[in-house]
Amino acid sequence: MQFPYDTSYRDSHALLRYSPGRIAYALLVLALLAAPWLLPKYYVGEISYLFIMCVASLGLMVLVGYTGQVSLGHSAFLAIGAYAHSWMLSQGVPFALAIVLAAGITGLIGLVIGLPAIRVSGLYLAMVTLAFAILSEHVIGHWSSVTGGFNGLTVQKPVFLGLDLSSLHAFYYLCLAVLAAVLLGLVNLLRAKTGRAFMGVRDSEAAAYSLGIWVSGYKVLAFVISAAVTGLAGALLAHHVRFLTPEGFGLILSLELVLMVTIGGLGSLRGAILGAVLISMLPTFISRIKPLLPEQISKQFGLEIFVFGLVLALFVLFEPKGLNGRWIKFKAFLQTFPLYRKDMFKRGKTYMKSERYK
């Protein structure tokens, strides 16, 4: 049963359905294209990082938001993509081929992890992916012949067709182009049979199985796609940081990715981007307001983690559908004003959410 606020299907499958939407997205694209020439260099670099985190968030959203599989280990896929890409560059592999192979290798490892992971769900699946992240960080730290170990690995400059893409503006447009390609690719994937199967598995595995959907196969496919997209983000992240260390891909990064998709709004590509923007900007915001806080608070260890937890708790309590749900309500308010009624967004009863095929 569909309610006025429940537009997750249309959100992912009709990105440019209405003329106002086309105009808004066109203005957004123009603003993003002009931003490097209008903003200070610091903000251009920060926005490039936002683009990378948006790609990673979209990858995790495929797994968590569209198939309902919880993962606390996606920092490992970021690390694998970054190190695989950097190692291939050091071996003389061209940039374009290296970034594609890095995504492919990460997707293959996602397949290896996804096959045993489909036997568990919920908290147990979260523990499996968490263990994978810890193991990956350990392997990266001790495989010094490939990763440089704890001494780190220097990332070579990205060069494509003789063009150096390491400059601030060139790298900004590279990240923007990759984000646009991933977003359009996922929009088309999720509007097809595969996307509908993903959502069927998420809503009710028992119902999906009764309809002839290969539940296990689509779960593994979601792992592969999610890992490949996240590995692609890792390859870009390698060029952003320019020096890789195992500590840069710890559990905190995995938790940040989970916060992005949860706060953005599960089951929404727009939500993945909104969540990535908010969570990626929080550390900068906290560092800016620290001097304004009392000394007893500003010098407390773990202030950022506390703020992340507080934001998550507030969204879970007051806006379970995340930033995307809030955006949908705001848009409905503008469209129906002055006839807007708050109870038009009252949640109805949901059936078969807790069922699982065994």
Side-chain angles (χ1 to χ4, degrees), residues 16-65:
L16 302 175
R17 185 177 182 181
Y18 302 109
S19 296
R22 297 190 187 100
I23 296 173
Y25 281 111
L27 293 176
L28 176 61
V29 170
L30 290 176
L32 292 176
L33 291 175
W37 309 100
L38 302 176
L39 298 176
K41 293 183 178 179
Y42 171 79
Y43 293 107
V44 176
E46 288 295 301
I47 296 175
S48 298
Y49 177 72
L50 286 181
F51 291 157
I52 297 171
M53 287 296 100
C54 286
V55 174
S57 180
L58 287 170
L60 183 58
M61 182 63 80
V62 172
L63 187 67
V64 178

Side-chain angles (χ1 to χ4, degrees), residues 32-309:
L32 292 176
L33 291 175
W37 309 100
L38 302 176
L39 298 176
K41 293 183 178 179
Y42 171 79
Y43 293 107
V44 176
E46 288 295 301
I47 296 175
S48 298
Y49 177 72
L50 286 181
F51 291 157
I52 297 171
M53 287 296 100
C54 286
V55 174
S57 180
L58 287 170
L60 183 58
M61 182 63 80
V62 172
L63 187 67
V64 178
Y66 284 94
T67 60
Q69 301 181 83
V70 182
S71 173
L72 297 179
H74 259 55
S75 62
F77 293 129
L78 272 174
I80 292 169
Y83 276 98
H85 177 67
S86 301
W87 181 82
M88 283 185 285
L89 286 179
S90 67
Q91 301 302 308
V93 179
F95 169 76
L97 180 59
I99 199 170
V100 171
L101 289 177
I105 291 172
T106 313
L108 182 62
I109 295 178
L111 172 63
V112 174
I113 300 300
L115 286 174
I118 61 174
R119 298 180 178 272
V120 294
S121 61
L123 179 62
Y124 299 101
L125 178 58
M127 293 298 102
V128 170
T129 54
L130 180 62
F132 169 65
I134 297 173
L135 179 62
S136 298
E137 187 177 356
H138 181 79
V139 171
I140 290 171
H142 290 82
W143 198 3
S144 56
S145 60
V146 174
T147 66
F150 293 103
N151 294 324
L153 178 67
T154 302
V155 182
Q156 296 187 9
K157 293 182 178 181
V159 179
F160 180 66
L161 299 178
L163 300 175
D164 185 2
L165 302 179
S166 62
S167 65
L168 196 63
H169 288 185
F171 187 67
Y172 172 94
Y173 288 120
L174 171 64
C175 295
L176 177 60
V178 172
L179 172 59
V182 169
L183 180 59
L184 292 176
L186 291 180
V187 166
N188 284 281
L189 174 71
L190 295 172
R191 69 187 296 181
K193 174 184 175 182
T194 302
R196 294 193 294 271
F198 283 167
M199 287 181 278
V201 172
R202 175 196 65 192
D203 291 340
S204 174
E205 293 182 15
Y209 181 74
S210 68
L211 293 173
I213 295 175
W214 186 20
V215 174
S216 299
Y218 279 106
K219 278 187 170 184
V220 174
L221 178 60
F223 252 102
V224 173
I225 295 173
S226 178
V229 173
T230 308
L232 182 62
L236 293 175
L237 185 61
H239 292 293
H240 177 75
V241 298
R242 299 183 181 180
F243 189 79
L244 301 177
T245 59
E247 294 82 3
F249 300 94
L251 296 179
I252 296 298
L253 182 56
S254 286
L255 295 178
E256 287 183 7
L257 291 173
V258 174
L259 284 174
M260 289 176 189
V261 298
T262 305
I263 292 174
L266 294 175
S268 165
L269 298 181
R270 185 194 296 116
I273 294 176
L274 294 176
V277 171
L278 175 62
I279 297 301
S280 298
M281 291 176 60
L282 269 182
T284 303
F285 174 74
I286 294 171
S287 64
R288 293 292 179 88
I289 66 171
K290 266 187 177 182
L292 306 177
L293 298 175
E295 187 175 351
Q296 296 87 346
I297 298 177
S298 61
K299 291 186 176 180
Q300 287 292 327
F301 177 76
L303 179 61
E304 290 187 3
I305 298 177
F306 170 78
V307 174
F308 284 151

